[in-house]
Amino acid sequence: MAEVYLRRLSRWQAEQQRDAVANVYVSAYRGAAGEEHRDRQDFLHRLEQHVQHTGFDMVVADTAGTVGCAYGFRVPRTGEWWSDLQGDLPRDIEELTASGRAFLLAELMVLPAHRRRGIATRLVERLLIRLDADLVVAATGRATDHPTAGRGTGDGGGESSGAAAEAFRAWGWSRFGVLGPHVAPDIAFGAGPGQEPMTGEVWIRRPLR
């Protein structure tokens, strides 16, 4: 199989590549038949909002076309991202968020044909390698009405929530807690299409250096 190259994109380049990234999203998170257009438009709307966040950064994987993507941004200082956390938010994490020292891994996805090749691992490493932050967070989505349908990323980017948990542990992350239930697919990466009530399993990594 052809070699996969990683590229870091500026905010402007990410906007220019949005259609290619949306194609990966639709393939990585297959929704209900006939809903591909709506799923694609929903993702493009979220991406349009995400690129405006402070510290937005994106890395894509290419081999004769885009086959994977990871991106993130600073967790908003307002702390709104944590509003659905089950339980109290520790003061140190609240302070890191308020000071702009927390980074959110907002999306990670790899085309099905290119999974289990370590591409998701490489994408995350490249995205975070030069990050100046004291905390990285991510939330994997799981539909509460369909526990077996939960989507995470695993090393493949778009696999089950169990595979996502296995990958995060292998990457040195720690399970932190649970967000939700809520209906907010933009909160948890790997949520995929749909508007089912969701919980988000939160993972954190610290320190980065």
Side-chain angles (χ1 to χ4, degrees), residues 110-112 114-119 153-157 159-160 163 166:
V110 177
L111 289 178
H114 294 271
R115 292 175 184 166
R116 300 300 180 185
R117 299 178 57 198
I119 296 174
T153 61
D155 190 54
E159 299 189 27
S160 70
E166 180 181 345

Side-chain angles (χ1 to χ4, degrees), residues 140-142 147-154 159-166 201 203:
T140 60
R142 181 176 63 191
T148 61
R151 297 176 177 88
T153 61
E159 299 189 27
S160 70
S161 56
E166 180 181 345
E201 190 172 64
W203 292 81

Side-chain angles (χ1 to χ4, degrees), residues 9-209:
L9 304 185
S10 67
R11 191 189 306 265
W12 180 83
Q13 289 172 323
E15 291 175 336
Q16 297 300 306
Q17 294 290 319
R18 62 184 181 274
D19 287 332
V21 174
N23 290 341
V24 175
Y25 175 85
V26 171
S27 296
Y29 303 118
R30 294 188 181 92
E35 295 296 318
E36 291 84 358
H37 177 73
R38 189 192 69 176
D39 297 340
R40 179 187 178 87
Q41 293 305 116
D42 287 348
F43 171 76
L44 286 171
H45 176 68
R46 291 198 303 277
L47 179 59
E48 182 180 7
Q49 295 177 318
H50 288 168
V51 296
Q52 303 305 319
H53 281 285
T54 301
F56 177 86
D57 202 3
M58 176 183 284
V59 176
V60 295
D62 289 321
T63 176
T66 303
V67 300
C69 173
Y71 73 77
F73 46 84
R74 300 283 172 168
V75 178
R77 293 171 182 255
T78 59
E80 182 180 0
W81 192 85
W82 298 103
S83 61
D84 284 325
L85 182 70
Q86 295 181 10
D88 296 329
L89 183 66
R91 181 172 294 276
D92 63 331
I93 291 182
E94 182 179 1
E95 292 175 350
L96 287 173
T97 301
S99 62
R101 303 293 297 175
F103 184 86
L104 172 65
L105 174 60
E107 189 61 77
L108 174 61
M109 50 191 170
V110 177
L111 289 178
H114 294 271
R115 292 175 184 166
R116 300 300 180 185
R117 299 178 57 198
I119 296 174
T121 301
R122 291 175 59 197
L123 284 167
V124 172
E125 289 177 348
R126 178 67 64 87
L127 183 68
L128 303 182
I129 193 169
R130 67 180 189 185
L131 182 66
D132 181 23
D134 295 310
L135 178 72
V136 182
V137 303
T140 60
R142 181 176 63 191
T144 57
D145 293 340
H146 306 282
T148 61
R151 297 176 177 88
T153 61
D155 190 54
E159 299 189 27
S160 70
S161 56
E166 180 181 345
F168 275 119
R169 291 191 184 96
W171 294 337
W173 294 53
S174 301
R175 187 181 183 279
F176 177 73
V178 175
L179 294 175
H182 48 68
V183 182
D186 57 330
I187 293 292
F189 80 78
Q195 293 293 330
E196 300 95 339
M198 300 188 67
T199 59
E201 190 172 64
V202 182
W203 292 81
I204 65 173
R205 175 182 170 183
R206 61 176 182 178
L208 288 175
R209 53 190 182 280

